[in-house]
Amino acid sequence: MNPIHFFTLGYLQEYLIYGIIFGVIIGVYAYFRVKYALNNVKLSKNKKLAITLIIPILAFICCLNIWSNAAILTLYLFISSIISDTIRIIWKYLFKGKYVNFIPKYHKNCVLALIIFSIIIIGSVYGMNHIELTEYNLTTDKINNESYSIVWVSDIHYNTIQNPQLVKESISKINDLRPDIVVLGGDIVDERTSKEDMNEVFKELGQINSTYGIYYVFGNHDTQPASTDYENGNRTFSDEELNKTIKDNGIEILNDKKTTINNDIVLLGRSDGQWDGEKNRIEIDKILNESDLSKYVVVLDHQPINYEENSRQGADLQISGHSHGGQLFPYSIMEKSMGYLIYGEYHFGDMEQIVSSGLTGWGWPMRNEAKCEYVLININ
């Protein structure tokens, strides 16, 4: 990664106000915390003043792009220091200064905060490199004589922040499930995936054994315009090459299209709502018709949007990804406060909505919200 992207990767201007708020809070705290830590350090007044000013300013700058690696590490240093302060207060007032007498020294020189910070980072790195199966069991009276299993895999962002071998191991485990239907829910690759890696991942995914085929819906990253490529300036493969690779590996693209499985299930794949725009997508009622509604209708949409409209139009299930389950604390809190669906199972009228946290994540090589997963949905 280009070092400048440690600060700029994923910058969105509309979130700048959040960055400024975080930056001011953390900067002010850093000023007093550093000043306290330097009280008994043998340095000249000028050097102490310089350090006391430089560190808060750096903290503020790092926070401006809240989606950057710099921001999340600064935030976790802040949280670690707050936890360290809390431990120091508990030791002083609850334990009356008895026992574990190393706490004041380790607190003052920031060692305790660094230990806590290390635990958070190690746990988050483990979270990004540990993939689990999540299973849902649904029932319907629209299917009388069959049961169906759907595997949903999304948000791989192949070979950008996670070991590709973990993806291959997950594909092997998916094969062991012997699913009826496999859906690749977008962002399998992104703006930092090389052309060689793009070809590799779809070759691997195309070898999954499924009874009724493998289907693809696009996400916001794998169709992202070159002008918004945060890492390279432009992708190393075109949309045409991406589409051809997907199709050449036996994967059917559902881009505002539908297909019927065994006269029981309708799979309706949506185009991406970010780059294609929600208003430019074909309305769901123009894709469905009355005969479809007698079948079990599954809407496949990378982003968990338009769920209320899909429910009104008679869909039975919507499957989405995109949110990564928040990926890192406290981003899920921010997204929930803005009304986004983040993770798990939701109900809208007669329709169920499942939001997956994805097989990987994006941007940061860490995860401590939700988990890395592939989803098995049993429809009975």
Side-chain angles (χ1 to χ4, degrees):
M1 178 183 285
N2 186 323
I4 195 68
H5 295 133
F6 183 75
F7 299 92
T8 61
L9 187 64
Y11 175 72
L12 295 170
Q13 187 174 356
E14 57 265 36
Y15 288 95
L16 179 60
I17 185 64
Y18 288 102
I20 292 173
I21 292 170
F22 282 142
V24 169
I25 293 172
I26 294 175
V28 169
Y29 172 84
Y31 172 81
F32 289 104
R33 187 62 181 84
V34 172
K35 188 175 181 180
Y36 167 72
L38 293 176
N39 273 343
N40 298 320
V41 176
K42 294 181 179 180
L43 289 173
S44 67
K45 285 186 178 182
N46 287 339
K47 288 182 179 179
K48 284 185 179 182
L49 179 62
I51 295 171
T52 305
L53 292 176
I54 289 172
I55 291 179
I57 291 171
L58 286 175
F60 176 80
I61 293 171
C62 288
C63 290
L64 289 178
N65 175 19
I66 64 169
W67 302 111
S68 68
N69 285 280
I72 196 63
L73 292 178
T74 302
L75 176 63
Y76 285 166
L77 277 170
F78 169 68
I79 291 172
S80 300
S81 190
I82 292 292
I83 294 173
S84 173
D85 292 344
T86 303
I87 291 173
R88 174 70 170 82
I89 292 169
I90 291 172
W91 176 84
K92 182 177 180 180
Y93 293 102
L94 187 61
F95 291 97
K96 307 296 183 182
K98 298 178 181 178
Y99 319 112
V100 287
N101 293 324
F102 59 83
I103 284 180
K105 178 182 177 182
Y106 283 11
H107 169 262
K108 187 176 182 65
N109 61 19
C110 300
V111 170
L112 183 58
L114 290 174
I115 291 172
I116 295 168
F117 175 76
S118 299
I119 292 171
I120 292 173
I121 298 303
I122 291 170
S124 300
V125 170
Y126 172 81
M128 182 53 71
N129 291 281
H130 184 71
I131 302 172
E132 297 181 14
L133 165 68
T134 299
E135 189 169 356
Y136 297 92
N137 293 292
L138 309 180
T139 58
T140 178
D141 57 7
K142 291 187 175 182
I143 299 172
N144 296 318
N145 302 315
E146 296 280 348
S147 295
Y148 293 90
S149 59
I150 301 176
V151 165
W152 169 275
V153 182
S154 68
D155 302 282
I156 296 179
H157 298 267
Y158 190 66
N159 202 16
T160 58
I161 57 173
Q162 189 188 67
N163 186 343
Q165 186 59 34
L166 294 174
V167 177
K168 296 174 184 177
E169 291 172 2
S170 295
I171 292 172
S172 176
K173 292 176 181 177
I174 290 170
N175 266 324
D176 292 341
L177 296 173
R178 304 182 66 84
D180 293 312
I181 302 164
V182 173
V183 179
L184 307 177
D187 285 2
I188 302 303
V189 295
D190 73 17
E191 64 274 9
R192 294 175 293 162
T193 303
S194 69
K195 184 177 180 180
E196 292 74 20
D197 286 333
M198 183 268 289
N199 288 323
E200 178 180 79
V201 70
F202 284 112
K203 181 179 179 180
E204 293 284 339
L205 291 166
Q207 294 174 2
I208 295 176
N209 294 316
S210 63
T211 307
Y212 299 108
I214 306 172
Y215 301 90
Y216 195 86
V217 291
F218 287 112
N220 56 304
H221 280 280
D222 49 16
T223 57
Q224 165 168 300
S227 60
T228 60
D229 184 337
Y230 305 115
E231 179 65 18
N232 300 312
N234 55 74
R235 289 188 304 172
T236 57
F237 54 89
S238 65
D239 287 344
E240 291 74 18
E241 289 171 324
L242 174 62
N243 290 357
K244 184 177 186 300
T245 298
I246 294 171
K247 293 174 182 177
D248 285 351
N249 285 285
I251 301 167
E252 183 176 348
I253 298 172
L254 297 178
N255 198 35
D256 279 343
K257 289 174 56 180
K258 65 181 180 180
T259 188
T260 302
I261 306 295
N262 206 26
N263 207 36
D264 280 327
I265 294 179
V266 174
L267 297 179
L268 194 162
R270 303 297 268 141
S271 62
D272 176 57
Q274 182 166 343
W275 303 119
D276 295 329
E278 291 185 50
K279 293 181 180 179
N280 295 326
R281 302 202 295 179
I282 300 175
E283 294 177 6
I284 185 173
D285 61 336
K286 293 181 180 178
I287 305 174
L288 288 172
N289 55 50
E290 290 183 5
S291 62
D292 291 330
L293 297 179
S294 66
K295 303 176 180 64
Y296 190 82
V297 177
V298 182
V299 175
L300 311 170
D301 196 341
H302 174 71
Q303 300 192 41
I305 55 178
N306 299 136
Y307 40 83
E308 292 177 335
E309 175 62 18
N310 295 339
S311 175
R312 284 193 294 269
Q313 294 298 332
D316 299 285
L317 171 66
Q318 179 171 334
I319 316 174
S320 303
H322 180 66
S323 66
H324 303 166
Q327 188 168 338
L328 288 172
F329 176 84
Y331 294 108
S332 67
I333 297 174
M334 293 170 52
E335 291 175 347
K336 286 177 183 177
S337 71
M338 298 172 72
Y340 297 142
L341 304 185
I342 301 301
Y343 178 72
E345 190 172 5
Y346 303 84
H347 301 272
F348 299 97
D350 294 328
M351 189 191 82
E352 297 183 76
Q353 161 88 65
I354 292 173
V355 182
S356 170
S357 58
L359 198 75
T360 310
W362 181 86
W364 317 287
M366 301 181 293
R367 177 194 283 277
N368 53 43
E369 291 260 25
K371 59 184 177 182
C372 294
E373 67 174 12
Y374 54 97
V375 173
L376 171 65
I377 303 170
N378 299 305
I379 303 172
N380 304 300

